[in-house]
Amino acid sequence: MRSFYALLALALLVELVVIARHFFSARPVRQGISAAAKAERALGAGPLNPRVYRVDYAHLDNRIRALVDRKDMAGLAIAVIEDGQLSFIKAYGTVDADTKEPATVQTVWRWASVSKGVAATLEALLERQGKLKLDDPISKWSSTLKLPHDNQNVATLSDALSHRLGIVKNAYADRLEGNEDPAMIRGMYGPLYPMCPPGTCWAYQNVAFDVAHEAISKATGLSYEEAAHRYLFGPLGMTSATTTQQGLIGARSWARPHAGRRPIPVQEAYYRVPAAGGVNSSIVDLGIWMRAQMGGAPNILPQDLLFKLHVPRVFTPRRGLAAYDLALKNSSYGLAFRESDYQGHHLVWHRGAVRGSRSEMIFDPAERFGVALLWNSTSVKPTGLPLEVFDQYYGLPFHDWVEIGRP
């Protein structure tokens, strides 16, 4: 009899160990789901029923943990949307590899070029209010931009938002990083050799793109920061979002840029072209922004406005030779948003990078599914992670798009 009770006790102990392991291993996933549910309630919506999830968040959590453990990573935050609602929000790693301060869902990160979508959305909203027209010539709203053959009188605001100004890619961006005034730099484009007439070819810009900031300020009588808050950040409930360097470094928790795991200074230059690269926010607010771009805030961003932003306007050359880039087909550009086809689905997306900080937002508007990432290192490894999540959602076989084990 004693042997029986001993075996029973041993069996119960083993069962308790199994339950405890499951409880503690599931805890990080529950944290991500709880953060998403909290954000949905703040937006006045009920949290998504976990029973409808198509993403295995335990698998995703393990992948991100392995990714952040790499020597070229510091911290990373992710937001996932399923069925049009935030379903998983979580932060990993550290905001500062020296102090080991942990990243949280309230940590503020740089959006870099994902910021461009804010400028385009602001201009589209102002057009609806009759304050400007996207087909207005740039010279009506900017006194600083000079294009070859005086094409600033021909090129439109929408041409600037879609990088169709007819000048060489990232014209004089090195001067911006050399601390020259962006308004002065825009005045230097006149003597450049014209690549094509405005509106007919694509070449990515940062300094030239920032005429959007000038147009928005002139049309509203507000600073770019004030306009962004009045028309977008405030109405959408993006409480951490800012467009200045002080908005980043003044936050209670903010992600220091890193080269590998070595903190490096904040690159200030792109805050001087805020429409092109000045936005900062928590991962929660980037998730809210993605949700709105997917049609989740129709009273603020109606569907016809989103269509104007996301419709392809110009085909773009292949972005890179990485496997995740080659998997994106028929790529094009709208108004500050990229478009590509993936496995029979149409995706809207954008990436961003400044020294030591990176970002990515990619979503399927038809399926109302999307993934947003923010990370504070020069590593490009996380760039393939969204496709792993999309493969899960679409029911495709696992493919190691991140290649965590490779240099």
Side-chain angles (χ1 to χ4, degrees), residues 47-321:
L48 188 66
N49 186 341
R51 293 181 180 178
V52 306
Y53 291 164
R54 292 165 66 174
V55 174
D56 181 348
Y57 290 112
H59 173 78
L60 176 60
D61 184 78
N62 288 332
R63 292 290 285 171
I64 298 176
R65 287 175 181 277
L67 178 59
V68 173
D69 281 345
R70 288 175 52 93
K71 292 181 180 180
D72 59 350
M73 290 289 297
L76 179 146
I78 185 170
V80 182
I81 289 177
E82 293 196 47
D83 197 26
Q85 291 186 266
L86 292 158
S87 55
F88 188 80
I89 301 175
K90 200 163 187 304
Y92 300 79
T94 178
V95 302
D96 187 324
D98 284 348
T99 67
K100 310 299 183 185
E101 179 188 342
T104 74
V105 295
Q106 299 305 324
T107 294
V108 172
W109 317 68
R110 294 189 74 169
W111 286 21
S113 283
V114 173
S115 305
K116 290 179 171 68
V118 170
T121 305
L122 275 170
E123 286 198 24
L125 278 173
L126 294 175
E127 181 177 57
R128 287 177 68 86
Q129 297 178 10
K131 296 182 185 296
L132 55 70
K133 293 182 180 179
L134 291 170
D135 288 335
D136 283 341
I138 290 172
S139 57
K140 181 175 179 179
W141 297 102
S142 170
S143 61
T144 65
L145 182 66
K146 305 300 180 185
L147 294 174
H149 304 319
D150 282 331
N151 278 335
Q152 68 272 12
N153 299 314
V154 176
T156 65
L157 293 177
S158 63
D159 289 333
L161 293 173
S162 53
H163 305 291
R164 296 179 297 167
L165 294 176
I167 55 176
V168 65
K169 176 183 175 180
N170 273 332
Y172 294 142
D174 57 330
R175 292 175 181 258
L176 178 70
E177 296 181 11
N179 208 35
E180 294 190 34
D181 180 359
M184 296 294 292
I185 297 170
R186 284 192 284 272
M188 300 175 183
Y189 296 153
L192 292 176
Y193 182 81
M195 291 176 55
C196 64
T200 63
C201 68
W202 185 86
Y204 196 82
Q205 305 294 330
N206 278 302
V207 181
F209 183 96
D210 197 55
V211 295
H213 140 233
E214 293 186 292
I216 290 162
S217 293
K218 187 174 180 179
T220 62
L222 303 170
S223 70
Y224 188 74
E225 170 85 352
E226 291 168 337
H229 276 273
R230 177 175 295 186
Y231 292 99
L232 288 175
F233 300 159
L236 290 173
M238 297 169 62
T239 57
S240 70
T242 60
T243 65
T244 66
Q245 182 176 353
Q246 184 57 38
L248 175 72
I249 64 177
R252 178 174 297 180
S253 171
W254 64 280
R256 279 68 169 172
H258 290 73
R261 290 191 178 177
R262 177 176 57 85
I264 57 178
V266 173
Q267 187 178 28
E268 183 271 340
Y270 289 93
Y271 284 113
R272 287 185 275 118
V273 286
V279 178
N280 323 289
S281 87
S282 68
I283 188 60
V284 174
D285 282 351
L286 180 55
I288 291 172
W289 175 249
M290 179 169 64
R291 184 183 186 274
Q293 289 293 329
M294 294 165 64
N299 293 333
I300 302 165
L301 303 182
Q303 195 60 49
D304 63 319
L305 183 147
L306 296 177
F307 178 81
K308 182 172 289 188
L309 295 174
H310 302 156
V311 67
R313 293 171 183 259
V314 58
F315 286 108
T316 57
R318 191 184 300 276
R319 182 176 171 84
L321 297 178

